[in-house]
Each structure stands twice: as C-alpha cells, then as structure tokens.
Amino acid sequence: AVIGALADDKRNLNGAWSGDGREQDPVTVLEGIRAKTGNSAKITFAPGCDIPCEDAKGFDEAVRAARQSDFVILTVGEDAQM
C-alpha cells in the first residue's frame, strides 16, 4: 500500500523553491513504484486525507489498505506553500 496525500501529487513535489520546475516534471512516489513493479505487484493507493489534511474522513480507507498489504510506504511532508 502507498499511503499519503503527497504520494501522487505532482504540484507539491517541486516545493516552493522550484525555480523553473514545472508541475508535470516530477515523478510521484506512486508513479515511480508502479513503473518499477509493473504488473508484478498489486499496488493500493489511499491518500488518507487531502492537503492540508484538515479532516480525517479518508483515514479509515488508508488503515484498511495498510492492514490488507504486506508492505506500506507512507508519504508525509508539507505542501509547496509551507
């Protein structure tokens, strides 16, 4: 399972100091894992919350995904405006 609002968020990967970085340039954590594993692994994605994560309505889905998975990659961090 890949869990976290930033796991599939291109906009915030460049950060506030991106210079000439374009939103379409980064490879998200989820994209990279899917590209590396191909069809050899079942990847479940659950954001858990949106950015800035002001409510917990997606937490149950994220917990379920984690419990049903052999491995969990949790992405945490801050949005580009922080």
Side-chain angles (χ1 to χ4, degrees):
V2 179
I3 298 172
L6 294 172
D8 200 31
D9 184 316
K10 287 182 176 283
R11 186 179 68 80
N12 286 295
L13 281 177
N14 279 329
W17 301 96
S18 61
D20 289 334
R22 299 174 303 160
E23 186 174 321
Q24 65 269 25
D25 289 342
V27 174
T28 69
V29 172
L30 183 60
E31 288 173 337
I33 291 168
R34 284 185 172 155
K36 184 67 175 174
T37 61
N39 293 327
S40 66
K42 178 184 173 193
I43 308 298
T44 304
F45 169 59
C49 61
D50 61 351
I51 298 171
C53 204
E54 294 174 335
D55 65 57
K57 67 182 175 185
F59 285 11
D60 288 340
E61 177 189 0
V63 169
R64 242 185 333 276
R67 286 186 175 152
Q68 294 173 356
S69 299
D70 293 327
F71 299 96
V72 173
I73 298 173
L74 178 63
T75 59
V76 297
E78 57 190 26
D79 70 32
Q81 301 306 312
M82 293 182 98

